[in-house]
Amino acid sequence: MKDKRNILSKEVAAKKIERMALEVAENLSGDNTPLVLIGIKPHGMVIAEKTGALLKPYISGGIKIISVSFDKEDPREIILSEEIDFNGKNILLIDDVCNSGKTLLYALKPLLGFYPKRIQTMVLIERMHKLFPVKTDYVGSSLATTLQDFIYVEAEGDEITGAFILM
């Protein structure tokens, strides 16, 4: 039996998402370019919806929220919830946990045929086991873990309810 250790409560997760949203708003201040939030299903989408609601008062160019989904073990087919033109737009790719960078890298694949103004990434929890050249721009929490540890983010409806680590 693995040990379960809580690392984020619902309240702390909400504060981290709010802080990251304010960082995004600050970095995009004065930029009237439309912003597209792409949430990686399932939990990245919950974070994207929450972030979009928090950003609404600050983003003058408009916000579009879509999702991306794929089999993380065999990421050959990457499906966007909506086909849109990413040319000239600000893109924010959002996931719950970044471990190796593989998920974020494959989620970028549908954008390769476009010329967005900028692409940034946001994760609630970042681990320190990068195997792929992906940098996270907005991080809720950074954790030093072993490769054997597993981080799980819990969500109910449109809320992140917490996160724990299985050791």
Side-chain angles (χ1 to χ4, degrees), residues 78-92:
I78 296 151
I79 302 163
L80 292 172
S81 61
E82 187 177 332
E83 295 294 327
I84 64 172
D85 180 359
F86 296 104
N87 288 314
K89 295 185 173 64
N90 288 319
I91 311 295
L92 182 59

Side-chain angles (χ1 to χ4, degrees), residues 68-80 102-103 105-110 112:
V68 63
S69 58
F70 53 93
D71 180 345
K72 292 180 182 182
E73 301 304 316
D74 185 17
R76 291 178 208 197
E77 185 180 6
I78 296 151
I79 302 163
L80 292 172
K102 179 180 175 184
T103 299
L105 184 69
Y106 280 104
L108 290 169
K109 187 177 177 185
L112 295 178

Side-chain angles (χ1 to χ4, degrees), residues 16-128:
K16 291 190 179 295
I17 293 168
E18 184 177 356
R19 176 186 49 79
M20 291 188 296
L22 289 173
E23 287 178 41
V24 171
E26 182 179 354
N27 285 338
L28 296 178
S29 177
D31 187 341
N32 294 329
T33 305
L35 174 63
V36 180
L37 304 181
I38 304 174
I40 299 173
K41 282 193 163 184
H43 298 126
M45 192 59 193
V46 174
I47 298 166
E49 292 283 357
K50 183 65 76 188
T51 301
L54 291 164
L55 285 172
K56 204 168 198 152
Y58 303 103
I59 303 298
S60 59
I63 300 172
K64 178 93 175 152
I65 303 170
I66 64 172
S67 68
V68 63
S69 58
F70 53 93
D71 180 345
K72 292 180 182 182
E73 301 304 316
D74 185 17
R76 291 178 208 197
E77 185 180 6
I78 296 151
I79 302 163
L80 292 172
S81 61
E82 187 177 332
E83 295 294 327
I84 64 172
D85 180 359
F86 296 104
N87 288 314
K89 295 185 173 64
N90 288 319
I91 311 295
L92 182 59
L93 184 62
I94 303 172
D95 202 7
D96 56 352
V97 179
C98 180
N99 184 26
S100 67
K102 179 180 175 184
T103 299
L104 288 172
L105 184 69
Y106 280 104
L108 290 169
K109 187 177 177 185
L111 305 177
L112 295 178
F114 295 94
Y115 298 97
K117 182 174 182 180
R118 87 178 78 196
I119 300 174
Q120 294 185 306
T121 57
M122 173 191 285
V123 296
L124 183 59
I125 300 169
E126 180 179 51
R127 296 177 66 188
M128 307 300 175

